[in-house]
C-alpha cells in the first residue's frame, strides 16, 4: 500500500528536484476551523501532500496555489478564508493561510559533451538551483556515480548521417535554455550549433574553442544559410572575459561565471515576504 507523503518529506524532495511547488501554512484562526495554526500542505501542479482539513476551504487553497504556480509567481501570499462566506462551510470560522511559492529551477542548461571540461562544469553547477541536461554521443562517457543528482539528467545520442541525431537531441530541449557545446569532435560541435541556431529559441549558445575555430565554423554555418544576426549570438570562446587558465576546472569556473551574467534578473526568487501589517492583521483576527 502506498503511504501518503508528509508535507516535510515532499518539500525536501521538491526543493532538491527544483520542481515548482507551493507551501501552504495556516498562520491564524478564529472560531471553529478544520485545522490549527501550524498545519501545512505542499501543492504541485498535479499532487497534494498532507492536508489543511479538507472541504471547500482546502480546495480553494489548492486552486489559489496552482493558479499562482501556473503564472510562474515566486512571491509569498497571505490569503484570508472566512469559512462561512468565501468557503461556504458550516463551521463558520476564519482562517489565514500563508502561501509560499517556489518556481523550481531558475535556469535550464543544456550541456553537450562529457569530457574533462564538461565533467568539471557539472561539478561546479551542482549546488545551483539550475536544471542541467547533459548529452554525449559516446558509450560510457558519463562518469560512474556522477549522474544520479536530482537536477541532472543525462542522455546519450548517436551521431547519424547529416547530423540528424544531433537535431533530435536539440529538439528535445525546453525553450529558453542556455546551450553549451563542448563535445570531443568538431564536426559534432558544428552539427549541434547548426541545430541550435535553427531552433531559434535558446536563451544563449556557447561553443568551446578558439577564435580560429569559430572563424572556420562561422564560414561553414554561413554557407549553411545562417545570417549574421544569428551567428552574432554564438559565444566562442566561452567564459567570462579576461579569465585565464586552461585546466578543466578553471575553464568550468569561467563558464559558470559567464552563465551567471546571462541569468535573467527576474529568475531570482522574490522572497520579499508579507508586509508586517498584514501578518499583524492575521494574528489579531485569530484572537
Amino acid at each position: 500500500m502506498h503511504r501518503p507523503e508528509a508535507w516535510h518529506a515532499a518539500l525536501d524532495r521538491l526543493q532538491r528536484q527544483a520542481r515548482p511547488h507551493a507551501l501552504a501554512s495556516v498562520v491564524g484562526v478564529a472560531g471553529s476551523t478544520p485545522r490549527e495554526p501550524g498545519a501545512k500542505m505542499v501543492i504541485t501542479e498535479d499532487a497534494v501532500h498532507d492536508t489543511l482539513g479538507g472541504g471547500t476551504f482546502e480546495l480553494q487553497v489548492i486552486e489559489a496555489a496552482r493558479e499562482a504556480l501556473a503564472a510562474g509567481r515566486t512571491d509569498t501570499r497571505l490569503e484570508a478564508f472566512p469559512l462561512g462566506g468565501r468557503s461556504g462551510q458550516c463551521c463558520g470560522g476564519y482562517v489565514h493561510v500563508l502561501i509560499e511559492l517556489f518556481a523550481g529551477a531558475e535556469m535550464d542548461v543544456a550541456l553537450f559533451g562529457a569530457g574533462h571540461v564538461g565533467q568539471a562544469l557539472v561539478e561546479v553547477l551542482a549546488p545551483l538551483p539550475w536544471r542541467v541536461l547533459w548529452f554525449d554521443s559516446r558509450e560510457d562517457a558519463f562518469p560512474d556515480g556522477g549522474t544520479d543528482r536530482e537536477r541532472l539528467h543525462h542522455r546519450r545520442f548517436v551521431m547519424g548521417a547529416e547530423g540528424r541525431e544531433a537535431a533530435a537531441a536539440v529538439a528535445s530541449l525546453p525553450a529558453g535554455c542556455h546551450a553549451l557545446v563542448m563535445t570531443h569532435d568538431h564536426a559534432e560541435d558544428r552539427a549541434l550549433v547548426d541545430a541550435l541556431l535553427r531552433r531559434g529559441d535558446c536563451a544563449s549558445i556557447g561553443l568551446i574553442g578558439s577564435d580560429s575555430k569559430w572563424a572556420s565554423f562561422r564560414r561553414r554555418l554561413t554557407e549553411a544559410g545562417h545570417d549574421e544576426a544569428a551567428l552574432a549570438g554564438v559565444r566562442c570562446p566561452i567564459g567570462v572575459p579576461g579569465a585565464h587558465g586552461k585546466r578543466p576546472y578553471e575553464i568550468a569556473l569561467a563558464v559558470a561565471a559567464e552563465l551567471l551574467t546571462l541569468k535573467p534578473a527576474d529568475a531570482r526568487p522574490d522572497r520579499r515576504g508579507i508586509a508586517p501589517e498584514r501578518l499583524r492583521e492575521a494574528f489579531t483576527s485569530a484572537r
Side-chain angles (χ1 to χ4, degrees):
M1 179 178 178
H2 176 70
R3 290 185 61 185
E5 192 173 18
W7 70 266
H8 48 83
L11 184 65
D12 175 67
R13 175 178 57 81
L14 293 165
Q15 290 277 326
R16 286 186 285 104
Q17 293 174 342
R19 287 183 52 198
H21 59 284
L23 174 64
S25 307
V26 175
V27 296
V29 299
S32 178
T33 60
R35 291 292 302 274
E36 69 288 347
K40 299 180 186 295
M41 177 172 65
V42 171
I43 303 152
T44 69
E45 64 176 357
D46 57 3
V48 175
H49 306 280
D50 238 311
T51 179
L52 297 185
T56 303
F57 154 65
E58 183 170 285
L59 288 176
Q60 289 174 333
V61 173
I62 295 169
E63 289 171 359
R66 285 179 172 165
E67 181 180 340
L69 287 172
R73 294 180 57 173
T74 56
D75 57 341
T76 302
R77 312 173 65 183
L78 187 64
E79 293 273 349
F81 293 89
L83 300 183
R86 179 174 178 178
S87 302
Q89 295 186 199
C90 59
C91 49
Y94 201 93
V95 184
H96 274 92
V97 177
L98 189 68
I99 301 177
E100 300 174 79
L101 301 163
F102 302 88
E106 293 179 1
M107 292 197 335
D108 287 310
V109 178
L111 173 58
F112 292 90
H116 297 299
V117 176
Q119 292 185 33
L121 184 58
V122 164
E123 293 297 324
V124 172
L125 299 182
L128 298 172
W130 301 352
R131 185 177 297 107
V132 179
L133 311 173
W134 200 9
F135 297 83
D136 201 286
S137 63
R138 298 167 293 174
E139 290 188 26
D140 304 321
F142 300 103
D144 293 337
T147 57
D148 58 351
R149 297 168 185 151
E150 299 280 4
R151 298 187 303 276
L152 176 63
H153 309 273
H154 75 286
R155 172 185 158 192
R156 178 176 178 248
F157 68 97
V158 180
M159 280 298 295
E162 301 176 1
R164 280 194 284 268
E165 286 293 329
V170 168
S172 71
L173 301 178
C177 73
H178 294 265
L180 295 169
V181 179
M182 50 179 71
T183 78
H184 65 291
D185 182 80
H186 280 207
E188 193 168 309
D189 282 352
R190 190 170 58 249
L192 287 164
V193 172
D194 176 63
L196 289 164
L197 287 170
R198 293 188 190 282
R199 272 201 61 146
D201 61 357
C202 292
S204 70
I205 302 173
L207 170 67
I208 199 168
S210 62
D211 290 329
S212 59
K213 176 181 177 178
W214 176 236
S216 172
F217 273 41
R218 190 183 188 97
R219 176 178 57 80
R220 297 286 295 274
L221 291 166
T222 299
E223 293 171 356
H226 298 289
D227 60 26
E228 288 300 313
L231 294 172
V234 180
R235 306 183 321 285
C236 182
I238 50 175
V240 289
H244 300 288
K246 296 185 178 181
R247 299 181 182 91
Y249 203 77
E250 291 172 331
I251 298 171
L253 287 172
V255 172
E258 183 181 46
L259 284 174
L260 282 171
T261 70
L262 300 174
K263 174 183 169 183
D266 59 5
R268 292 191 295 270
D270 180 357
R271 310 310 300 168
R272 290 172 294 181
I274 299 295
E277 58 271 16
R278 292 207 65 201
L279 286 175
R280 283 195 296 271
E281 171 192 333
F283 285 104
T284 300
S285 66
R287 291 175 182 172

